[in-house]
Structure formats: structure tokens, C-alpha cells
Amino acid sequence: MTTTDPAAHVGVTEIGEMLGVSRQRANALVKRSDFPEPLAQTRAGRVWERKAVEAWEKGWDRTNVGGRPPRNAPPQ
């Protein structure tokens, strides 16, 4: 059996902590087509390689989050 450093693998909760977002937002992010594929699916949930998530974060445009504009935003 191969053993790896547990810190090398992350779940949705850890991804949220890494990215500074809620677990719910992290769950939405991992469903994006440009997000890395999970390494495995366990009974506890999906698992990703930490390095792959870190690499994805470098290209993530946090300013383009979508959603409803603020009430005081100028009309487009």
C-alpha cells in the first residue's frame, strides 16, 4: 500500500479554507469545468491534490464572481 502525506490531499472544507471562502462556495467552485478533477471519491467525500488546487487558485479571477450587482452599482 502506498502512503502519502495527508496534507497533500484536501476535501471541500479544506479548499474553502485555502481559498478564503465558505464551504458552500467551495462546493460551487469544485463543480466548475476548469477546476481540477478529484483524485478519489470516498464515503467522506471527494479528495483533490493540494498542489493542483493551489495551481488553479493562481489563475482564478476572484473579481469575476457573478451574481447580482450591488444596489448602488451604476446602471450598465
Side-chain angles (χ1 to χ4, degrees), residues 43-64:
R43 284 191 267 176
R46 294 164 292 175
V47 179
W48 287 263
E49 184 180 17
R50 179 181 294 275
K51 288 182 181 181
V53 175
E54 290 169 345
W56 178 86
E57 181 183 15
K58 290 177 183 174
W60 178 36
D61 180 7
R62 288 179 179 259
T63 61
N64 184 16

Side-chain angles (χ1 to χ4, degrees), residues 3-63:
T3 57
T4 58
D5 177 13
H9 302 103
V10 293
V12 173
T13 301
E14 293 85 4
I15 290 171
E17 291 170 357
M18 289 170 62
L19 302 178
V21 299
S22 69
R23 183 180 48 79
Q24 292 84 355
R25 176 70 175 135
N27 228 344
L29 291 171
V30 301
K31 293 177 183 174
R32 291 174 46 140
S33 61
D34 64 337
F35 200 83
E37 289 292 319
L39 291 176
Q41 170 74 43
T42 69
R43 284 191 267 176
R46 294 164 292 175
V47 179
W48 287 263
E49 184 180 17
R50 179 181 294 275
K51 288 182 181 181
V53 175
E54 290 169 345
W56 178 86
E57 181 183 15
K58 290 177 183 174
W60 178 36
D61 180 7
R62 288 179 179 259
T63 61

